[in-house]
Amino acid sequence: DAGILWTLTGHSERRVGFGYPGETSQVVAIKTKNALDCGLSVIACIGEQLADRQNGTTMTVCAEQLDAIKNTLKEADWKKVVIAYEPVWAIGTGVTATPPQAQATHADIREWLSKNVSPSVAAETRIIYGGSATAANCSDLYAQPDINGFLVGGASLGGAFVNIINCTHLVSK
């Protein structure tokens, strides 16, 4: 009724829980499927904590989150899903994954989709970066071959947000 076409599932703040138990990957998967069944498109958020990054388990964490979603969807459902990679350690901290770090994880996500869903889903699914994109770093991030856009938080509240939007038009892929 409200004309809303998109929703987020699995946002990092929902997963950590605001002082209460957060949403599990299975809950996120069910919410993703329910949203799709109601006609919405979904930005499904995945990502690791700082300890996961430091321990070298980034993709283990992301794969567990993706696997739960995969287990609830049909291959055709993926046409209405965008994956947002949110390195939780970079959100609101002023620390951003370097373009090579972000690209490596995006490429790993795309490879996971290819092996676990299908090569066509991997090629067609947009994977966006959600870890403190700013006007200063967006062009370098967007220039990476597997970064297809941004999930912008706090930076969307200021005038520099226009620069983040525009960088997706100025950087050739």
Side-chain angles (χ1 to χ4, degrees):
D1 292 349
I4 297 169
L5 304 175
W6 286 85
T7 191
L8 289 174
T9 60
H11 190 272
S12 59
E13 292 171 343
R14 301 288 303 180
R15 288 184 185 269
V16 296
F18 299 110
Y20 297 96
E23 294 179 351
T24 65
S25 295
Q26 290 69 33
V27 168
V28 171
I30 291 166
K31 286 184 169 191
T32 300
K33 179 64 173 155
N34 288 345
L36 292 168
D37 289 348
C38 289
L40 295 170
S41 294
V42 176
I43 299 173
C45 303
I46 64 169
E48 84 282 15
Q49 301 284 334
L50 181 58
D52 303 315
R53 168 63 66 174
Q54 292 171 333
N55 292 333
T57 58
T58 293
M59 203 50 213
T60 302
V61 172
C62 291
E64 182 272 330
Q65 295 168 354
L66 286 165
D67 198 53
I69 295 169
K70 177 202 75 154
N71 290 337
T72 65
L73 302 185
K74 298 178 201 138
E75 186 169 334
D77 291 333
W78 287 91
K79 291 187 181 304
K80 295 185 73 179
V81 174
V82 170
I83 301 296
Y85 167 59
E86 293 187 292
V88 179
W89 51 271
I91 298 170
T93 65
V95 177
T96 305
T98 65
Q101 283 176 316
Q103 167 56 29
T105 303
H106 281 238
D108 288 345
I109 293 166
R110 198 168 306 283
E111 180 180 344
W112 187 94
L113 289 170
S114 182
K115 289 179 179 176
N116 293 279
V117 183
S118 76
S120 63
V121 165
E124 295 169 9
T125 299
R126 288 179 289 160
I127 305 171
I128 61 178
Y129 179 74
S132 294
T134 66
N137 66 21
C138 65
S139 292
D140 290 337
L141 287 163
Y142 191 70
Q144 304 304 307
D146 289 296
I147 297 178
N148 305 122
F150 302 103
L151 178 62
V152 182
S156 67
L157 302 175
F161 184 48
V162 172
N163 295 333
I164 297 171
I165 295 167
N166 287 340
C167 88
T168 64
H169 299 290
L170 300 174
V171 174
S172 61
K173 287 242 182 199

